[in-house]
Amino acid sequence: MDPELRLHETRLQVRPGELVQTTATVRYDGDLVERYTFDVLGAASGWAEVIPAEISVTRGVEETVQLLFRPPTGPGTPVGKIPFALRCRSRENRNWVAVEEGDITVGAIHEITAAVITTKIRRGRWTARWIARFDNRGTAPALLRLSVPDEDGALGYALAPTSVEVQPGGSGEVFLKARAVRPFLRGTMVRHPVRLVYARTDETRTDETRTNQARTSGADQQAVEGQLDAVFEQVPVIPRAAVKLAGAALVIGIVATAGAALLTRAPTRTSAPTAPVTAATAPVAPTSPSPTPSPSVGPTTSVGPTTSVSPTGAAGQVEPQGIYVIFHAFAIDDRVATDNQAAQQFISDIQRLPDVGVVQLMDSRRSQRLREPTDKPDQGEYVVLKDGFASYQDATGYCAKVLPALRQSVKGANCYAVPE
């Protein structure tokens, strides 16, 4: 004979990490003592418990059990209304079964951790770049809106993308570039604070999701927002050492010019001038031709040093064409001869992967668009890139296509699009 099962509450609410419970009663009208076991069916079965899980029921007597739900706080916890069923089954006769259904609404946990995964302080003459990463440790997807406040107008900003959706347990990255509005030739370093602000929005939720989550309280209703701080250290276009060197060269040039002028003005005769000759005292000219006197040679005039100018041999500038993506950058150290070899090996490795295409190597010292290294801004970088994309959307779509294979196959490989 089937038992009579009654669930006292069929609509429950709970937040992850918390406990909610209800009771159920079992009645049996047979002649013998019957033993029953209980279990929970549905998506909530993994974090549900019946106490006790087995009881004995005699004729005409109701027995009560406790039904407990404690959803975990991890990313895999479902959110919203979740149906469940409590099943009561005879231990001796498995065909004697009773089932009661209900549903439990689980609230969402919104927890976002944010960090700048590249150097927080970037030094350069013109630009600085950062990559920010957002990790979703909550239980619901998060759509984050990003912005950079322009407080004093000293910097211009490029942010891509301006919004990012992060799934539970997943992460997302954004690229931030700051450019000095007013570069200066010489002087002292200036520190510019940079602030990246993020806030969660609910634009991607469906009406049903909003309704389900509106029934919960606490952490589900709290907005996720915050900011990331960095610093751009703007240095003069002409380094202080170059200014000192130029000053020293100017002083040396002035001294050399002055010395040459003094030598040029030295007297050319050393004997006193003779008295003027008058007609009365003038000697009679000889009748025979006198030998032609040899020309006298005066003192030699000293000339200053001559400066020879040699061509610099510097190559012309190179610039990425259109929108481009960066795979990696190698800081250039003049004392190490393997920087270019490492970059060439890196290109060889990533071009073996499918869908990567033709990749280029450019020297940031010959470009105004390419970034400079953080710790050695005067030495530049070898930048591995692919350019020629018609739009920023094309570039980001390309990165999304090739990035999984890049990260699995080549150490240090990345792909992010750089807007114009």
Side-chain angles (χ1 to χ4, degrees), residues 123-347:
R123 174 175 295 190
R125 301 180 181 89
W126 306 91
T127 62
R129 297 172 176 85
W130 301 268
I131 296 177
R133 176 170 177 166
F134 300 90
D135 295 307
N136 188 351
R137 298 183 179 180
T139 60
L143 177 61
L144 302 177
R145 293 293 184 188
L146 309 166
S147 61
V148 183
D150 186 6
E151 298 179 352
D152 56 7
L155 301 176
Y157 299 99
L159 182 63
T162 57
S163 65
V164 58
E165 184 171 1
V166 188
Q167 297 298 321
S171 62
E173 295 181 357
V174 297
F175 173 82
L176 173 61
K177 175 183 178 181
R179 184 175 182 86
V181 175
R182 293 178 292 274
F184 52 95
L185 289 179
R186 59 189 182 89
T188 59
M189 181 265 295
V190 178
R191 294 170 62 92
H192 300 286
V194 178
R195 179 176 303 168
L196 175 61
V197 178
Y198 61 92
R200 179 178 61 88
T201 66
D202 297 332
E203 295 181 3
T204 59
R205 298 182 181 178
T206 63
D207 293 338
E208 181 180 357
T209 304
R210 292 193 185 99
T211 302
N212 291 339
Q213 295 189 354
R215 295 174 181 171
T216 61
S217 59
D220 185 43
Q221 300 302 317
Q222 297 177 2
V224 174
E225 56 184 17
Q227 66 182 39
L228 292 173
D229 294 316
V231 174
F232 172 30
E233 293 185 347
Q234 183 184 359
V235 297
V237 176
I238 302 177
R240 182 176 299 180
V243 174
K244 293 181 178 179
L245 183 61
L250 179 61
V251 171
I252 294 173
I254 293 174
V255 172
T257 302
L262 290 175
L263 291 175
T264 303
R265 294 175 182 176
T268 58
R269 294 178 298 177
T270 57
S271 60
T274 59
V277 178
T278 63
T281 60
V284 179
T287 56
S288 60
S290 60
T292 302
S294 61
S296 61
V297 179
T300 304
T301 302
S302 174
V303 181
T306 302
T307 302
S308 62
V309 180
S310 61
T312 62
Q317 290 188 341
V318 292
E319 299 291 349
Q321 301 299 313
I323 307 297
Y324 65 95
V325 300
I326 292 179
F327 298 99
H328 194 43
F330 297 82
I332 298 173
D333 190 338
D334 294 336
R335 297 170 299 176
V336 180
T338 59
D339 299 325
N340 186 274
Q341 298 175 5
Q344 294 290 353
Q345 182 60 47
F346 180 83
I347 290 178

Side-chain angles (χ1 to χ4, degrees), residues 10-16 18 79-83 102-108 110 205-221:
T10 58
R11 299 290 184 268
L12 303 174
Q13 295 181 7
V14 68
R15 291 164 55 186
E18 298 183 357
V79 177
K81 182 185 294 185
I82 302 170
D103 58 67
I104 179 171
T105 301
V106 180
H110 300 288
R205 298 182 181 178
T206 63
D207 293 338
E208 181 180 357
T209 304
R210 292 193 185 99
T211 302
N212 291 339
Q213 295 189 354
R215 295 174 181 171
T216 61
S217 59
D220 185 43
Q221 300 302 317

